[in-house]
Amino acid sequence: METSVSKQNKLVPPALKNDCFSLPADAHWTPVAEALALLEKRLHVCVGVETVPLFAALGRVLAEDVAALRSNPPQPNSAVDGYGLRHSEIVDGPQTLPLVEGRSAAGAAFQGALPAGHAVRILTGAPVPEGVDTVILQEDVSTDGRAIAFHGPLKRGSNTRNAGEDVAQGDLTLMQGRHITPADLALAAATGVSALPVFRRLRVAVVSTGDELAEPGQEARSDQIFDANRPMLLAMVAQFGFEPIDMGRAPDDRNALKGFLDEAAHLSDMILTSGGASAGDEDHMSALLNETGTMTLWRLAIKPGRPLALGMWAGTPVFGLPGNPVAAKVCTLIFAKPAMDALGGAGWCEPVALKVPAAFAKSKKAGRREYLRARLRDGRAEVFQSEGSGRISGLSWAEGLVELPDEALEVQEGTEVLYYPFSAFGL
Ligand code: AMP
Ligand code: MG
């Protein structure tokens, strides 16, 4: 077929380059660690502080250190159902003690002090009456309701909890920057704290780009695919504890995309786009960000994930993720999540990996860090059978990522590898 190129200058495919099977020179590709160090240095909190009741605080980022307003437990109490007594009155061997009238129950304390030579019925969580310093388990006594018989000796203080043995009033309980967990809510409540200072939720706008995208639930032409990234990315933002803003789908049209970015910048603190981030004809994200003069095409030494287009749009940071869903998810976990934490007040957070034996074999070349869709079974990391970055089924199959280092590596079954459960990223 004739082309615009003249006959003398007939169009021929480019010659294979010498380096066609190797990765570009290292200086050209930014190592993951270097990219992360840059983000850590340059991003800082961009949201204000508000106080919310405990019931609205789950997943939010704590804005100040929190101290206990009250000790836990507030006063000595019994750890078991049993009988309270004086340790000094216990002898070695069998003995009997009369029971005093009344009992100490949780929320209904025994009034007064234990008379000498007596024991008192006490239930779990009940305040320890004055004079009692030791509690014997009800299973270790026999009783007729008027006295108890048991065997000494007993350890002094056994089955009792001291006031403040868990947390003393004034102790720091929760540190600034943490994403609040259900257990944090229990700790705050137990120590008399009913509201928490948190950062305003970081608003993250999510835009999908591409003329090939159709909306789930709508009719798709045969040359269209459903937008898979947007539901995933919006859900991830929500699970990270931030506020997702659904901006919809932008066509491969520079002006239209510009409109999406303008609105997103207006509504959000950070913009996540997917698709169009490379340097191809229809890669309008990079082109637009380029026009602002703030764009950096991060050619990252990472697989999966081609370039990330990073830039500022009207004062709002933009993360232009690759369109492939696998690359979009991996790049969100590795780069965008730490960035959200930094902007949202959580500081610089690094996911914690497990070192586990591999249940797979793989030969890896030097040059870029690789993330494999993985899951733990019987204490070993399995990986998805295909590394294709369009394989969404593998994303759903996976429960975490195996990270293989930048260097070359021969993984055999049993080789120790790093495994990050998705929970390490807050999912
Ligand atoms: P791009 O980065 O725009 O070149 O897209 C790379 C690949 O990801 C192409 O096969 C796209 O069709 C696909 N892709 C882009 N956006 C999405 C999306 N939102 N959902 C599913 N696939 C997508
Ligand atoms: Mg595209």
Side-chain angles (χ1 to χ4, degrees):
M1 199 184 80
E2 204 51 82
T3 69
S4 60
V5 178
S6 69
K7 279 178 196 143
Q8 302 96 291
N9 192 7
K10 200 162 167 283
L11 193 58
V12 289
L16 281 184
K17 292 192 184 119
N18 282 340
D19 63 357
C20 71
F21 293 117
S22 73
L23 286 162
D26 40 336
H28 222 67
W29 291 78
T30 309
V32 173
E34 220 169 277
L36 289 173
L38 273 180
L39 290 179
E40 178 178 7
K41 204 164 82 189
R42 296 189 188 152
L43 299 179
H44 51 81
V45 58
C46 71
V47 285
V49 176
E50 63 192 9
T51 298
V52 297
L54 292 188
F55 294 100
L58 181 66
R60 302 291 297 269
V61 179
L62 197 62
E64 289 163 26
D65 294 347
V66 172
L69 297 178
R70 191 180 201 232
S71 296
N72 181 53
Q75 59 183 131
N77 69 48
S78 177
V80 298
D81 290 337
Y83 297 87
L85 20 84
R86 274 189 185 77
H87 187 257
S88 57
E89 293 174 352
I90 300 168
V91 297
D92 286 2
Q95 65 187 292
T96 305
L97 284 177
L99 281 172
V100 70
E101 187 101 359
R103 60 171 203 171
S104 192
F110 179 82
Q111 299 302 319
L114 179 70
H118 284 73
V120 59
R121 175 72 170 142
I122 190 166
L123 301 177
T124 307
V128 172
E130 199 188 320
V132 172
D133 58 7
T134 301
V135 172
I136 184 168
L137 213 57
Q138 68 183 22
E139 288 79 359
D140 292 342
V141 309
S142 42
T143 180
D144 58 3
R146 278 172 291 155
I148 56 169
F150 61 97
H151 286 270
L154 289 181
K155 227 178 109 195
R156 187 186 151 89
S158 53
N159 299 316
T160 64
R161 305 175 180 131
N162 298 325
E165 73 170 31
D166 179 23
V167 180
Q169 185 180 356
D171 281 356
L172 286 183
T173 49
L174 300 171
M175 299 302 168
Q176 188 212 316
R178 57 186 288 125
H179 283 274
I180 294 161
T181 66
D184 293 347
L185 300 178
L187 181 55
T191 52
V193 175
S194 61
L196 291 168
V198 295
F199 286 106
R200 176 173 64 64
R201 225 186 267 272
L202 188 81
R203 296 162 305 180
V204 182
V206 176
V207 187
S208 289
T209 75
D211 282 341
E212 75 276 36
L213 300 181
E215 189 68 12
Q218 286 179 359
E219 201 69 28
R221 295 191 318 259
S222 59
D223 63 344
Q224 284 187 309
I225 58 171
F226 289 112
D227 179 359
N229 288 343
R230 217 166 88 247
M232 172 175 72
L233 295 173
L234 288 166
M236 287 171 79
V237 170
Q239 281 199 334
F240 294 153
F242 303 116
E243 184 185 331
I245 301 179
D246 184 2
M247 302 301 301
R249 291 168 292 117
D252 284 321
D253 172 284
R254 213 157 291 188
N255 258 327
L257 183 56
K258 208 171 181 162
F260 276 78
L261 291 178
D262 286 341
E263 204 191 340
H266 181 66
L267 292 174
S268 73
D269 306 300
M270 174 173 172
I271 304 170
L272 269 189
T273 70
S274 68
S278 300
D281 297 349
E282 297 294 342
D283 288 325
H284 300 290
M285 265 312 301
S286 346
L288 274 174
L289 283 174
N290 240 333
E291 284 173 19
T292 69
T294 64
M295 146 98 169
T296 328
L297 194 65
W298 280 28
R299 293 163 56 83
L300 294 163
I302 184 175
K303 182 183 172 188
R306 286 183 309 167
L308 271 192
L310 297 191
M312 299 293 287
W313 192 267
T316 304
V318 182
F319 269 69
L321 301 165
N324 276 310
V326 178
K329 180 166 185 188
V330 168
C331 289
T332 300
L333 294 176
I334 305 303
F335 300 106
K337 162 66 161 62
M340 285 180 219
D341 277 334
L343 296 169
W348 191 253
C349 303
E350 276 170 13
V352 178
L354 307 172
K355 278 187 188 160
V356 299
F360 63 95
K362 179 182 160 70
S363 174
K364 180 197 169 291
K365 288 198 233 113
R368 51 183 183 169
R369 191 175 288 190
E370 287 193 28
Y371 290 94
L372 307 175
R373 280 151 282 177
R375 61 185 196 186
L376 273 192
R377 287 293 180 273
D378 298 325
R380 305 193 315 158
E382 300 179 342
V383 296
F384 192 57
Q385 89 263 0
S386 159
E387 291 183 19
S389 72
R391 298 285 190 105
I392 303 175
S393 58
L395 271 187
S396 166
W397 172 93
E399 295 163 7
L401 298 174
V402 158
E403 178 186 277
L404 301 180
D406 302 14
E407 303 82 52
L409 185 69
E410 287 296 327
V411 180
Q412 268 135 31
E413 283 198 27
T415 304
E416 201 169 70
V417 292
L418 288 183
Y419 173 77
Y420 294 90
F422 286 139
S423 60
F425 302 97
L427 295 184

Coordinates of all heavy atoms in Angstrom, one line a residue, residues 209-213 252 274-277 282-284 323, ligand 2:
T209 N -9.9 7.7 31.3 CA -9.8 8.3 29.9 C -9.7 7.2 28.9 O -9.1 6.2 29.1 CB -8.5 9.2 29.8 OG1 -7.4 8.4 29.6 CG2 -8.4 10.2 31.0
G210 N -10.3 7.5 27.7 CA -10.2 6.6 26.6 C -11.5 6.5 25.8 O -12.6 6.3 26.4
D211 N -11.4 6.7 24.5 CA -12.6 6.6 23.7 C -13.2 5.1 23.6 O -14.3 4.9 23.2 CB -12.3 6.9 22.2 CG -12.2 8.5 22.0 OD1 -12.7 9.2 22.9 OD2 -11.6 8.9 21.1
E212 N -12.4 4.2 24.1 CA -12.8 2.8 24.0 C -13.7 2.4 25.2 O -14.2 1.3 25.3 CB -11.6 1.8 23.9 CG -10.8 1.6 25.2 CD -9.8 2.7 25.5 OE1 -10.1 3.9 25.1 OE2 -8.7 2.4 26.0
L213 N -13.9 3.3 26.2 CA -14.5 2.9 27.4 C -16.0 3.1 27.4 O -16.5 4.2 26.9 CB -13.9 3.8 28.6 CG -12.4 3.6 28.8 CD1 -12.0 4.5 30.0 CD2 -12.1 2.1 29.0
D252 N -11.0 10.7 24.5 CA -9.6 11.0 24.0 C -9.7 12.3 23.2 O -9.5 12.3 22.0 CB -9.0 9.8 23.2 CG -8.6 8.7 24.0 OD1 -8.0 9.0 25.1 OD2 -8.8 7.5 23.7
S274 N -6.7 7.5 34.9 CA -6.1 6.3 34.3 C -6.2 6.4 32.8 O -7.2 6.8 32.3 CB -6.7 5.0 34.9 OG -8.0 4.9 34.5
G275 N -5.1 5.9 32.1 CA -5.1 5.9 30.7 C -4.5 7.1 30.1 O -4.5 8.2 30.8
G276 N -4.0 7.0 28.9 CA -3.4 8.2 28.2 C -2.2 8.8 28.9 O -1.9 10.0 28.6
A277 N -1.5 8.1 29.6 CA -0.4 8.7 30.4 C 1.0 8.5 29.7 O 2.0 9.1 30.1 CB -0.3 8.0 31.8
E282 N -2.7 9.3 21.3 CA -3.9 9.6 22.0 C -3.7 9.7 23.5 O -4.5 9.6 24.4 CB -4.9 8.4 21.8 CG -5.4 8.3 20.3 CD -6.2 9.5 19.9 OE1 -6.7 10.3 20.7 OE2 -6.3 9.7 18.7
D283 N -2.4 9.9 23.9 CA -2.1 10.1 25.3 C -2.2 11.5 25.7 O -1.2 12.2 25.9 CB -0.7 9.4 25.6 CG -0.8 7.9 25.5 OD1 -1.8 7.4 25.9 OD2 0.2 7.3 25.0
H284 N -3.4 11.9 25.8 CA -3.7 13.4 26.1 C -3.4 13.8 27.5 O -3.1 15.0 27.7 CB -5.2 13.7 25.7 CG -5.5 13.4 24.3 ND1 -4.9 14.1 23.2 CD2 -6.2 12.3 23.7 CE1 -5.3 13.6 22.1 NE2 -6.1 12.5 22.3
G323 N -3.3 2.9 31.8 CA -4.6 2.5 31.6 C -4.9 1.0 32.0 O -6.0 0.6 32.4
Ligands
MG2 MG -6.1 5.4 26.3

